Amino acid sequence: MPDVNSIQNFILVGTSIFLSVTVFICLMRAALGPRFSDRIIAASMTGTQIILLISVLAVIVGEDYLADICLIYAIISFLSIVVLARSVIEKKEDDEE
């Protein structure tokens, strides 16, 4: 009978693989998105998935400092999405004038 740690590691590695695949799908969506808003949403999703991937890696490796890196990456990701959204709003305001 397999022990709990091996099952947990199997699930965490499977989750890491799944998140890695979905990150690449979101990056393709960001590159190929027909509208700029699709690209912003894909970039936001990519940032969230990378945060989840780092969190899963922190559990697998057992290092606590990776949680701090997740928080820093979340702040940077949020600020980048705000800047992109603001640039879209300013671009639309310039087009209206």
Side-chain angles (χ1 to χ4, degrees), residues 19-89:
L19 285 171
S20 299
V21 170
T22 57
V23 164
F24 285 116
I25 292 171
C26 284
L27 286 174
M28 286 180 18
R29 184 64 181 173
L32 302 174
R35 295 182 304 206
F36 194 71
S37 60
D38 293 334
R39 292 182 175 137
I40 290 175
I41 292 170
S44 177
M45 286 176 52
T46 302
T48 303
Q49 290 173 346
I50 289 175
I51 292 167
L52 288 171
L53 191 60
I54 294 171
S55 299
V56 170
L57 180 66
V59 173
I60 291 173
V61 177
E63 297 292 333
D64 294 335
Y65 70 90
L66 289 173
D68 297 333
I69 293 174
C70 284
L71 291 173
I72 293 169
Y73 192 84
I75 292 169
I76 292 171
S77 177
F78 172 74
L79 290 175
S80 66
I81 297 302
V82 168
V83 168
L84 284 173
R86 183 170 283 246
S87 68
V88 169
I89 291 171

